Amino acid sequence: MSEVTVLLWAKNGCSYCEDVKEFFAEKQIDYKVIDVTEHDNRRDILEAKYGVRYVPVIEIGKDGQYTGVTELGLKALEKELKVQKVL
């Protein structure tokens, strides 16, 4: 079975980003953070991939294919994690 990678695009001072981190800790989900705080060029990547410049954006990857969760709220994140069989 392939390993799933979870990426959290976040910035300092983002309360929703902190909520996502707490959610991941509670669910024991390993993830990596891509900090956009001082890196606007990273926001350019989000805009090219998903048409958004805001964070958080969560990417769930398996076998080199990534799904981006850009909808705010833990409900959308939890739904996609179940679809991707992370939860």
Side-chain angles (χ1 to χ4, degrees):
M1 189 162 140
S2 298
E3 186 176 325
V4 175
T5 303
V6 178
L7 303 174
L8 170 60
W9 296 72
K11 71 174 187 170
N12 292 334
C14 169
S15 62
Y16 180 58
C17 299
E18 293 303 316
D19 290 345
V20 172
K21 290 175 184 177
E22 289 174 15
F23 175 82
F24 286 158
E26 177 184 305
K27 301 293 185 184
Q28 298 179 342
I29 296 172
D30 291 329
Y31 65 97
K32 297 176 185 170
V33 175
I34 301 172
D35 188 354
V36 302
T37 304
E38 299 291 329
H39 306 281
D40 276 345
N41 60 327
R42 293 180 183 167
R43 290 179 187 265
D44 295 341
I45 295 168
L46 289 176
E47 187 169 27
K49 289 174 100 173
Y50 304 111
V52 300
R53 292 186 65 79
Y54 59 79
V55 290
V57 170
I58 299 91
E59 290 186 305
I60 305 164
K62 184 177 179 182
D63 297 327
Q65 299 290 320
Y66 283 82
T67 300
V69 180
T70 59
E71 185 178 335
L72 298 179
L74 294 176
K75 185 180 267 188
L77 172 59
E78 190 167 17
K79 179 181 175 183
E80 189 58 38
L81 290 168
K82 286 179 181 176
V83 167
Q84 298 294 330
K85 296 181 174 43
V86 177
L87 286 181

